[in-house]
PDB file of all heavy atoms in Angstrom:
ATOM      1  N   ASN A 958     135.168 150.659 318.302  1.00 97.00           N
ATOM      2  CA  ASN A 958     135.944 150.849 319.496  1.00 97.00           C
ATOM      3  C   ASN A 958     135.749 149.699 320.462  1.00 97.00           C
ATOM      4  O   ASN A 958     136.444 149.623 321.583  1.00 97.00           O
ATOM      5  CB  ASN A 958     135.640 152.151 320.201  1.00 97.00           C
ATOM      6  CG  ASN A 958     136.103 153.349 319.322  1.00 97.00           C
ATOM      7  OD1 ASN A 958     137.168 153.358 318.782  1.00 97.00           O
ATOM      8  ND2 ASN A 958     135.116 154.347 319.206  1.00 97.00           N
ATOM      9  N   ARG A 959     134.864 148.861 320.169  1.00 98.00           N
ATOM     10  CA  ARG A 959     134.631 147.593 321.108  1.00 98.00           C
ATOM     11  C   ARG A 959     134.643 146.355 320.244  1.00 98.00           C
ATOM     12  O   ARG A 959     133.581 145.561 320.171  1.00 98.00           O
ATOM     13  CB  ARG A 959     133.339 147.780 321.748  1.00 98.00           C
ATOM     14  CG  ARG A 959     133.274 148.991 322.762  1.00 98.00           C
ATOM     15  CD  ARG A 959     132.061 148.956 323.640  1.00 98.00           C
ATOM     16  NE  ARG A 959     130.869 149.307 322.824  1.00 98.00           N
ATOM     17  CZ  ARG A 959     129.519 149.277 323.247  1.00 98.00           C
ATOM     18  NH1 ARG A 959     129.343 148.529 324.312  1.00 98.00           N
ATOM     19  NH2 ARG A 959     128.553 149.524 322.384  1.00 98.00           N
ATOM     20  N   ILE A 960     135.703 146.097 319.554  1.00 98.00           N
ATOM     21  CA  ILE A 960     135.852 144.774 318.807  1.00 98.00           C
ATOM     22  C   ILE A 960     136.716 143.850 319.631  1.00 98.00           C
ATOM     23  O   ILE A 960     137.875 144.140 320.102  1.00 98.00           O
ATOM     24  CB  ILE A 960     136.690 145.111 317.416  1.00 98.00           C
ATOM     25  CG1 ILE A 960     135.832 146.084 316.595  1.00 98.00           C
ATOM     26  CG2 ILE A 960     136.863 143.809 316.759  1.00 98.00           C
ATOM     27  CD1 ILE A 960     136.530 146.372 315.287  1.00 98.00           C
ATOM     28  N   VAL A 961     136.198 142.720 319.829  1.00 98.00           N
ATOM     29  CA  VAL A 961     136.923 141.555 320.652  1.00 98.00           C
ATOM     30  C   VAL A 961     137.149 140.450 319.686  1.00 98.00           C
ATOM     31  O   VAL A 961     136.377 140.162 318.804  1.00 98.00           O
ATOM     32  CB  VAL A 961     135.955 141.214 321.793  1.00 98.00           C
ATOM     33  CG1 VAL A 961     136.474 139.992 322.501  1.00 98.00           C
ATOM     34  CG2 VAL A 961     135.567 142.205 322.729  1.00 98.00           C
ATOM     35  N   THR A 962     138.338 139.791 319.925  1.00 98.00           N
ATOM     36  CA  THR A 962     138.602 138.566 319.008  1.00 98.00           C
ATOM     37  C   THR A 962     138.622 137.484 320.088  1.00 98.00           C
ATOM     38  O   THR A 962     139.075 137.611 321.159  1.00 98.00           O
ATOM     39  CB  THR A 962     139.864 138.647 318.349  1.00 98.00           C
ATOM     40  OG1 THR A 962     140.952 138.844 319.182  1.00 98.00           O
ATOM     41  CG2 THR A 962     139.927 139.758 317.289  1.00 98.00           C
ATOM     42  N   THR A 963     138.152 136.294 319.606  1.00 98.00           N
ATOM     43  CA  THR A 963     138.146 135.127 320.528  1.00 98.00           C
ATOM     44  C   THR A 963     138.236 133.790 319.736  1.00 98.00           C
ATOM     45  O   THR A 963     137.846 133.821 318.531  1.00 98.00           O
ATOM     46  CB  THR A 963     136.999 135.112 321.484  1.00 98.00           C
ATOM     47  OG1 THR A 963     137.048 134.004 322.429  1.00 98.00           O
ATOM     48  CG2 THR A 963     135.548 134.834 320.713  1.00 98.00           C
ATOM     49  N   GLY A 964     138.678 132.810 320.368  1.00 98.00           N
ATOM     50  CA  GLY A 964     138.651 131.486 319.778  1.00 98.00           C
ATOM     51  C   GLY A 964     139.407 130.591 320.607  1.00 98.00           C
ATOM     52  O   GLY A 964     140.111 130.882 321.619  1.00 98.00           O
ATOM     53  N   GLY A 965     139.481 129.197 320.355  1.00 98.00           N
ATOM     54  CA  GLY A 965     140.083 128.216 321.097  1.00 98.00           C
ATOM     55  C   GLY A 965     141.109 127.373 320.332  1.00 98.00           C
ATOM     56  O   GLY A 965     140.849 127.074 319.131  1.00 98.00           O
ATOM     57  N   SER A 966     142.132 127.124 321.025  1.00 98.00           N
ATOM     58  CA  SER A 966     143.365 126.353 320.275  1.00 98.00           C
ATOM     59  C   SER A 966     143.860 126.996 319.201  1.00 98.00           C
ATOM     60  O   SER A 966     144.403 128.063 319.447  1.00 98.00           O
ATOM     61  CB  SER A 966     142.660 124.861 319.953  1.00 98.00           C
ATOM     62  OG  SER A 966     143.677 123.972 319.600  1.00 98.00           O
ATOM     63  N   ALA A 967     143.829 126.549 317.905  1.00 98.00           N
ATOM     64  CA  ALA A 967     144.318 127.293 316.760  1.00 98.00           C
ATOM     65  C   ALA A 967     143.497 128.612 316.662  1.00 98.00           C
ATOM     66  O   ALA A 967     144.023 129.604 316.224  1.00 98.00           O
ATOM     67  CB  ALA A 967     144.243 126.459 315.590  1.00 98.00           C
ATOM     68  N   GLY A 968     142.183 128.488 317.028  1.00 98.00           N
ATOM     69  CA  GLY A 968     141.387 129.642 317.009  1.00 98.00           C
ATOM     70  C   GLY A 968     141.778 130.652 318.093  1.00 98.00           C
ATOM     71  O   GLY A 968     141.686 131.936 317.849  1.00 98.00           O
ATOM     72  N   GLY A 969     142.293 130.190 319.179  1.00 98.00           N
ATOM     73  CA  GLY A 969     142.983 131.173 320.181  1.00 98.00           C
ATOM     74  C   GLY A 969     144.196 131.840 319.628  1.00 98.00           C
ATOM     75  O   GLY A 969     144.403 132.938 319.764  1.00 98.00           O
ATOM     76  N   HIS A 970     145.015 130.946 318.935  1.00 98.00           N
ATOM     77  CA  HIS A 970     146.197 131.466 318.257  1.00 98.00           C
ATOM     78  C   HIS A 970     145.795 132.593 317.204  1.00 98.00           C
ATOM     79  O   HIS A 970     146.317 133.691 317.226  1.00 98.00           O
ATOM     80  CB  HIS A 970     146.945 130.478 317.506  1.00 98.00           C
ATOM     81  CG  HIS A 970     147.894 130.944 316.555  1.00 98.00           C
ATOM     82  ND1 HIS A 970     147.632 131.022 315.237  1.00 98.00           N
ATOM     83  CD2 HIS A 970     149.216 131.322 316.562  1.00 98.00           C
ATOM     84  CE1 HIS A 970     148.753 131.548 314.515  1.00 98.00           C
ATOM     85  NE2 HIS A 970     149.665 131.590 315.304  1.00 98.00           N
ATOM     86  N   LEU A 971     144.784 132.333 316.479  1.00 99.00           N
ATOM     87  CA  LEU A 971     144.273 133.271 315.484  1.00 99.00           C
ATOM     88  C   LEU A 971     143.575 134.457 316.135  1.00 99.00           C
ATOM     89  O   LEU A 971     143.759 135.634 315.444  1.00 99.00           O
ATOM     90  CB  LEU A 971     143.426 132.644 314.360  1.00 99.00           C
ATOM     91  CG  LEU A 971     144.259 131.622 313.656  1.00 99.00           C
ATOM     92  CD1 LEU A 971     143.138 130.727 312.855  1.00 99.00           C
ATOM     93  CD2 LEU A 971     145.144 132.229 312.615  1.00 99.00           C
ATOM     94  N   ALA A 972     142.984 134.306 317.187  1.00 99.00           N
ATOM     95  CA  ALA A 972     142.474 135.413 317.919  1.00 99.00           C
ATOM     96  C   ALA A 972     143.553 136.365 318.467  1.00 99.00           C
ATOM     97  O   ALA A 972     143.397 137.628 318.395  1.00 99.00           O
ATOM     98  CB  ALA A 972     141.566 135.067 319.150  1.00 99.00           C
ATOM     99  N   LEU A 973     144.634 135.848 318.885  1.00 98.00           N
ATOM    100  CA  LEU A 973     145.832 136.593 319.230  1.00 98.00           C
ATOM    101  C   LEU A 973     146.468 137.306 318.147  1.00 98.00           C
ATOM    102  O   LEU A 973     146.817 138.489 318.196  1.00 98.00           O
ATOM    103  CB  LEU A 973     146.832 135.709 320.123  1.00 98.00           C
ATOM    104  CG  LEU A 973     146.425 135.211 321.478  1.00 98.00           C
ATOM    105  CD1 LEU A 973     147.274 134.058 321.919  1.00 98.00           C
ATOM    106  CD2 LEU A 973     146.472 136.341 322.408  1.00 98.00           C
ATOM    107  N   THR A 974     146.771 136.520 317.048  1.00 98.00           N
ATOM    108  CA  THR A 974     147.445 137.218 315.900  1.00 98.00           C
ATOM    109  C   THR A 974     146.540 138.210 315.264  1.00 98.00           C
ATOM    110  O   THR A 974     147.061 139.243 314.925  1.00 98.00           O
ATOM    111  CB  THR A 974     147.735 136.109 314.877  1.00 98.00           C
ATOM    112  OG1 THR A 974     146.574 135.478 314.342  1.00 98.00           O
ATOM    113  CG2 THR A 974     148.870 135.154 315.349  1.00 98.00           C
ATOM    114  N   THR A 975     145.237 137.998 315.199  1.00 98.00           N
ATOM    115  CA  THR A 975     144.386 138.993 314.691  1.00 98.00           C
ATOM    116  C   THR A 975     144.428 140.293 315.488  1.00 98.00           C
ATOM    117  O   THR A 975     144.450 141.457 314.916  1.00 98.00           O
ATOM    118  CB  THR A 975     142.902 138.519 314.593  1.00 98.00           C
ATOM    119  OG1 THR A 975     142.914 137.322 313.802  1.00 98.00           O
ATOM    120  CG2 THR A 975     142.005 139.474 313.981  1.00 98.00           C
ATOM    121  N   GLY A 976     144.429 140.119 316.800  1.00 98.00           N
ATOM    122  CA  GLY A 976     144.512 141.388 317.611  1.00 98.00           C
ATOM    123  C   GLY A 976     145.914 141.944 317.981  1.00 98.00           C
ATOM    124  O   GLY A 976     145.822 143.140 318.207  1.00 98.00           O
ATOM    125  N   LEU A 977     146.899 141.207 317.872  1.00 98.00           N
ATOM    126  CA  LEU A 977     148.216 141.802 318.183  1.00 98.00           C
ATOM    127  C   LEU A 977     149.037 142.203 316.921  1.00 98.00           C
ATOM    128  O   LEU A 977     149.916 143.045 317.129  1.00 98.00           O
ATOM    129  CB  LEU A 977     149.034 140.593 318.855  1.00 98.00           C
ATOM    130  CG  LEU A 977     148.488 140.180 320.248  1.00 98.00           C
ATOM    131  CD1 LEU A 977     149.439 139.010 320.731  1.00 98.00           C
ATOM    132  CD2 LEU A 977     148.516 141.245 321.260  1.00 98.00           C
ATOM    133  N   LEU A 978     148.731 141.776 315.714  1.00 97.00           N
ATOM    134  CA  LEU A 978     149.620 142.026 314.631  1.00 97.00           C
ATOM    135  C   LEU A 978     149.291 143.529 314.157  1.00 97.00           C
ATOM    136  O   LEU A 978     148.253 144.012 314.531  1.00 97.00           O
ATOM    137  CB  LEU A 978     149.238 141.051 313.444  1.00 97.00           C
ATOM    138  CG  LEU A 978     149.903 139.761 313.382  1.00 97.00           C
ATOM    139  CD1 LEU A 978     149.203 138.856 312.373  1.00 97.00           C
ATOM    140  CD2 LEU A 978     151.388 140.054 313.080  1.00 97.00           C
ATOM    141  N   THR A 979     150.255 144.092 313.494  1.00 93.00           N
ATOM    142  CA  THR A 979     150.108 145.391 312.837  1.00 93.00           C
ATOM    143  C   THR A 979     150.315 145.236 311.399  1.00 93.00           C
ATOM    144  O   THR A 979     150.832 144.279 310.943  1.00 93.00           O
ATOM    145  CB  THR A 979     151.035 146.412 313.494  1.00 93.00           C
ATOM    146  OG1 THR A 979     152.419 145.958 313.090  1.00 93.00           O
ATOM    147  CG2 THR A 979     150.894 146.476 314.970  1.00 93.00           C
ATOM    148  N   PRO A 980     149.827 146.208 310.545  1.00 91.00           N
ATOM    149  CA  PRO A 980     150.080 146.132 309.102  1.00 91.00           C
ATOM    150  C   PRO A 980     151.495 146.009 308.714  1.00 91.00           C
ATOM    151  O   PRO A 980     151.762 145.445 307.684  1.00 91.00           O
ATOM    152  CB  PRO A 980     149.488 147.440 308.743  1.00 91.00           C
ATOM    153  CG  PRO A 980     148.351 147.773 309.707  1.00 91.00           C
ATOM    154  CD  PRO A 980     149.014 147.325 310.932  1.00 91.00           C
ATOM    155  N   GLU A 981     152.458 146.445 309.516  1.00 91.00           N
ATOM    156  CA  GLU A 981     153.785 146.418 309.185  1.00 91.00           C
ATOM    157  C   GLU A 981     154.403 145.018 309.065  1.00 91.00           C
ATOM    158  O   GLU A 981     155.420 144.712 308.489  1.00 91.00           O
ATOM    159  CB  GLU A 981     154.648 147.249 310.261  1.00 91.00           C
ATOM    160  CG  GLU A 981     154.515 148.585 310.199  1.00 91.00           C
ATOM    161  CD  GLU A 981     153.318 149.270 310.659  1.00 91.00           C
ATOM    162  OE1 GLU A 981     152.491 148.535 311.376  1.00 91.00           O
ATOM    163  OE2 GLU A 981     152.944 150.421 310.383  1.00 91.00           O
ATOM    164  N   ALA A 982     153.701 143.994 309.713  1.00 94.00           N
ATOM    165  CA  ALA A 982     154.117 142.677 309.578  1.00 94.00           C
ATOM    166  C   ALA A 982     153.915 142.123 308.196  1.00 94.00           C
ATOM    167  O   ALA A 982     154.426 141.081 307.823  1.00 94.00           O
ATOM    168  CB  ALA A 982     153.254 141.746 310.538  1.00 94.00           C
ATOM    169  N   GLY A 983     153.170 142.724 307.332  1.00 93.00           N
ATOM    170  CA  GLY A 983     153.023 142.466 305.931  1.00 93.00           C
ATOM    171  C   GLY A 983     151.995 141.343 305.640  1.00 93.00           C
ATOM    172  O   GLY A 983     151.814 140.864 304.578  1.00 93.00           O
ATOM    173  N   LEU A 984     151.105 140.963 306.748  1.00 95.00           N
ATOM    174  CA  LEU A 984     150.136 140.018 306.554  1.00 95.00           C
ATOM    175  C   LEU A 984     148.682 140.453 306.276  1.00 95.00           C
ATOM    176  O   LEU A 984     147.878 139.727 306.171  1.00 95.00           O
ATOM    177  CB  LEU A 984     150.165 139.010 307.749  1.00 95.00           C
ATOM    178  CG  LEU A 984     151.454 138.323 308.014  1.00 95.00           C
ATOM    179  CD1 LEU A 984     151.383 137.580 309.366  1.00 95.00           C
ATOM    180  CD2 LEU A 984     151.796 137.391 306.964  1.00 95.00           C
ATOM    181  N   ASP A 985     148.600 141.830 306.054  1.00 93.00           N
ATOM    182  CA  ASP A 985     147.210 142.387 305.604  1.00 93.00           C
ATOM    183  C   ASP A 985     147.196 142.705 304.146  1.00 93.00           C
ATOM    184  O   ASP A 985     146.170 143.179 303.707  1.00 93.00           O
ATOM    185  CB  ASP A 985     147.093 143.658 306.440  1.00 93.00           C
ATOM    186  CG  ASP A 985     146.977 143.485 307.953  1.00 93.00           C
ATOM    187  OD1 ASP A 985     147.380 142.375 308.440  1.00 93.00           O
ATOM    188  OD2 ASP A 985     146.459 144.414 308.689  1.00 93.00           O
ATOM    189  N   ARG A 986     148.271 142.382 303.375  1.00 90.00           N
ATOM    190  CA  ARG A 986     148.321 142.962 302.024  1.00 90.00           C
ATOM    191  C   ARG A 986     147.343 142.189 301.105  1.00 90.00           C
ATOM    192  O   ARG A 986     146.961 142.861 300.017  1.00 90.00           O
ATOM    193  CB  ARG A 986     149.716 142.746 301.437  1.00 90.00           C
ATOM    194  CG  ARG A 986     150.792 143.575 302.309  1.00 90.00           C
ATOM    195  CD  ARG A 986     152.180 143.262 301.890  1.00 90.00           C
ATOM    196  NE  ARG A 986     153.085 144.003 302.660  1.00 90.00           N
ATOM    197  CZ  ARG A 986     154.337 143.726 302.893  1.00 90.00           C
ATOM    198  NH1 ARG A 986     154.878 142.519 302.360  1.00 90.00           N
ATOM    199  NH2 ARG A 986     155.060 144.571 303.540  1.00 90.00           N
ATOM    200  N   GLY A 987     146.886 141.087 301.496  1.00 90.00           N
ATOM    201  CA  GLY A 987     145.859 140.426 300.573  1.00 90.00           C
ATOM    202  C   GLY A 987     144.344 140.727 300.739  1.00 90.00           C
ATOM    203  O   GLY A 987     143.533 140.267 300.210  1.00 90.00           O
ATOM    204  N   CYS A 988     144.216 141.725 301.820  1.00 90.00           N
ATOM    205  CA  CYS A 988     142.776 142.039 302.172  1.00 90.00           C
ATOM    206  C   CYS A 988     142.178 142.884 301.111  1.00 90.00           C
ATOM    207  O   CYS A 988     142.903 143.822 300.607  1.00 90.00           O
ATOM    208  CB  CYS A 988     142.827 142.776 303.492  1.00 90.00           C
ATOM    209  SG  CYS A 988     143.456 141.843 304.919  1.00 90.00           S
ATOM    210  N   THR A 989     140.877 142.587 300.693  1.00 80.00           N
ATOM    211  CA  THR A 989     140.218 143.274 299.705  1.00 80.00           C
ATOM    212  C   THR A 989     139.905 144.706 300.125  1.00 80.00           C
ATOM    213  O   THR A 989     139.226 144.844 301.229  1.00 80.00           O
ATOM    214  CB  THR A 989     138.929 142.566 299.254  1.00 80.00           C
ATOM    215  OG1 THR A 989     139.431 141.193 298.890  1.00 80.00           O
ATOM    216  CG2 THR A 989     138.297 143.300 298.217  1.00 80.00           C
ATOM    217  N   ALA A 990     140.281 145.668 299.406  1.00 76.00           N
ATOM    218  CA  ALA A 990     139.834 147.090 299.787  1.00 76.00           C
ATOM    219  C   ALA A 990     138.395 147.318 299.417  1.00 76.00           C
ATOM    220  O   ALA A 990     137.974 146.743 298.505  1.00 76.00           O
ATOM    221  CB  ALA A 990     140.823 148.123 299.033  1.00 76.00           C
ATOM    222  N   PRO A 991     137.695 148.110 300.302  1.00 74.00           N
ATOM    223  CA  PRO A 991     136.347 148.498 299.792  1.00 74.00           C
ATOM    224  C   PRO A 991     136.339 149.103 298.453  1.00 74.00           C
ATOM    225  O   PRO A 991     137.391 149.798 298.071  1.00 74.00           O
ATOM    226  CB  PRO A 991     135.866 149.578 300.939  1.00 74.00           C
ATOM    227  CG  PRO A 991     136.870 149.359 302.092  1.00 74.00           C
ATOM    228  CD  PRO A 991     138.162 148.854 301.442  1.00 74.00           C
ATOM    229  N   ASP A 992     135.195 149.044 297.829  1.00 74.00           N
ATOM    230  CA  ASP A 992     135.055 149.502 296.357  1.00 74.00           C
ATOM    231  C   ASP A 992     135.451 151.055 296.265  1.00 74.00           C
ATOM    232  O   ASP A 992     136.049 151.396 295.311  1.00 74.00           O
ATOM    233  CB  ASP A 992     133.676 149.154 295.883  1.00 74.00           C
ATOM    234  CG  ASP A 992     133.456 147.798 295.625  1.00 74.00           C
ATOM    235  OD1 ASP A 992     134.454 147.029 295.512  1.00 74.00           O
ATOM    236  OD2 ASP A 992     132.335 147.396 295.531  1.00 74.00           O
ATOM    237  N   ASN A 993     135.065 151.829 297.296  1.00 71.00           N
ATOM    238  CA  ASN A 993     135.264 153.297 297.266  1.00 71.00           C
ATOM    239  C   ASN A 993     136.746 153.554 297.481  1.00 71.00           C
ATOM    240  O   ASN A 993     137.073 154.659 297.309  1.00 71.00           O
ATOM    241  CB  ASN A 993     134.284 153.980 298.206  1.00 71.00           C
ATOM    242  CG  ASN A 993     134.615 153.689 299.608  1.00 71.00           C
ATOM    243  OD1 ASN A 993     134.979 152.440 300.007  1.00 71.00           O
ATOM    244  ND2 ASN A 993     134.457 154.505 300.588  1.00 71.00           N
ATOM    245  N   LEU A 994     137.517 152.674 297.963  1.00 71.00           N
ATOM    246  CA  LEU A 994     138.873 152.932 298.200  1.00 71.00           C
ATOM    247  C   LEU A 994     139.971 152.171 297.362  1.00 71.00           C
ATOM    248  O   LEU A 994     141.083 152.459 297.326  1.00 71.00           O
ATOM    249  CB  LEU A 994     139.201 152.585 299.683  1.00 71.00           C
ATOM    250  CG  LEU A 994     138.412 153.326 300.748  1.00 71.00           C
ATOM    251  CD1 LEU A 994     138.862 152.844 302.167  1.00 71.00           C
ATOM    252  CD2 LEU A 994     138.796 154.840 300.661  1.00 71.00           C
ATOM    253  N   ARG A 995     139.399 151.280 296.548  1.00 72.00           N
ATOM    254  CA  ARG A 995     140.317 150.426 295.778  1.00 72.00           C
ATOM    255  C   ARG A 995     141.210 151.218 294.819  1.00 72.00           C
ATOM    256  O   ARG A 995     142.378 150.811 294.559  1.00 72.00           O
ATOM    257  CB  ARG A 995     139.404 149.449 294.822  1.00 72.00           C
ATOM    258  CG  ARG A 995     140.328 148.479 293.953  1.00 72.00           C
ATOM    259  CD  ARG A 995     139.412 147.443 293.445  1.00 72.00           C
ATOM    260  NE  ARG A 995     139.166 146.432 294.367  1.00 72.00           N
ATOM    261  CZ  ARG A 995     138.187 145.522 294.346  1.00 72.00           C
ATOM    262  NH1 ARG A 995     137.301 145.528 293.323  1.00 72.00           N
ATOM    263  NH2 ARG A 995     138.040 144.616 295.277  1.00 72.00           N
ATOM    264  N   TRP A 996     140.775 152.409 294.315  1.00 70.00           N
ATOM    265  CA  TRP A 996     141.464 153.195 293.353  1.00 70.00           C
ATOM    266  C   TRP A 996     142.123 154.342 293.890  1.00 70.00           C
ATOM    267  O   TRP A 996     142.665 155.276 293.317  1.00 70.00           O
ATOM    268  CB  TRP A 996     140.624 153.598 292.175  1.00 70.00           C
ATOM    269  CG  TRP A 996     139.706 152.400 291.653  1.00 70.00           C
ATOM    270  CD1 TRP A 996     138.348 152.386 291.724  1.00 70.00           C
ATOM    271  CD2 TRP A 996     140.242 151.173 290.990  1.00 70.00           C
ATOM    272  NE1 TRP A 996     137.885 151.127 291.261  1.00 70.00           N
ATOM    273  CE2 TRP A 996     139.092 150.486 290.849  1.00 70.00           C
ATOM    274  CE3 TRP A 996     141.444 150.807 290.594  1.00 70.00           C
ATOM    275  CZ2 TRP A 996     139.098 149.153 290.127  1.00 70.00           C
ATOM    276  CZ3 TRP A 996     141.567 149.632 290.012  1.00 70.00           C
ATOM    277  CH2 TRP A 996     140.340 148.814 289.675  1.00 70.00           C
ATOM    278  N   GLU A 997     142.087 154.388 295.234  1.00 70.00           N
ATOM    279  CA  GLU A 997     142.729 155.546 296.028  1.00 70.00           C
ATOM    280  C   GLU A 997     144.026 155.215 296.600  1.00 70.00           C
ATOM    281  O   GLU A 997     144.526 154.105 296.470  1.00 70.00           O
ATOM    282  CB  GLU A 997     141.762 155.959 297.183  1.00 70.00           C
ATOM    283  CG  GLU A 997     140.347 156.340 296.639  1.00 70.00           C
ATOM    284  CD  GLU A 997     140.302 157.375 295.727  1.00 70.00           C
ATOM    285  OE1 GLU A 997     141.076 158.349 295.927  1.00 70.00           O
ATOM    286  OE2 GLU A 997     139.337 157.515 294.926  1.00 70.00           O
ATOM    287  N   ARG A 998     144.545 156.205 297.219  1.00 60.00           N
ATOM    288  CA  ARG A 998     145.982 156.007 297.931  1.00 60.00           C
ATOM    289  C   ARG A 998     145.830 154.815 298.893  1.00 60.00           C
ATOM    290  O   ARG A 998     144.941 154.737 299.599  1.00 60.00           O
ATOM    291  CB  ARG A 998     146.330 157.284 298.573  1.00 60.00           C
ATOM    292  CG  ARG A 998     147.642 157.174 299.361  1.00 60.00           C
ATOM    293  CD  ARG A 998     147.919 158.531 300.059  1.00 60.00           C
ATOM    294  NE  ARG A 998     148.984 158.415 300.955  1.00 60.00           N
ATOM    295  CZ  ARG A 998     149.479 159.490 301.723  1.00 60.00           C
ATOM    296  NH1 ARG A 998     148.847 160.554 301.609  1.00 60.00           N
ATOM    297  NH2 ARG A 998     150.414 159.155 302.512  1.00 60.00           N
ATOM    298  N   ALA A 999     146.901 154.013 298.829  1.00 59.00           N
ATOM    299  CA  ALA A 999     147.008 152.869 299.691  1.00 59.00           C
ATOM    300  C   ALA A 999     147.577 153.110 301.028  1.00 59.00           C
ATOM    301  O   ALA A 999     148.637 152.575 301.205  1.00 59.00           O
ATOM    302  CB  ALA A 999     147.612 151.696 298.989  1.00 59.00           C
TER     303      ALA A 999
END
């Protein structure tokens, strides 16, 4: 509940996209699922 993103320049851009994006944008699909969830409902 207390995760902060930060960075400068392109890092500032990535801090913003990391915090503002939602999964619906389709840019989270390559993220590795934890082992205990890999074979479960996505």
Side-chain angles (χ1 to χ4, degrees):
N958 295 312
R959 291 189 292 165
I960 299 174
V961 176
T962 60
T963 189
S966 192
H970 164 266
L971 293 169
L973 287 164
T974 57
T975 301
L977 295 176
L978 277 169
T979 65
E981 286 76 15
L984 297 175
D985 296 16
R986 293 171 183 159
C988 301
T989 304
D992 290 341
N993 63 325
L994 297 178
R995 178 169 285 162
W996 314 111
E997 303 298 327
R998 175 179 168 182

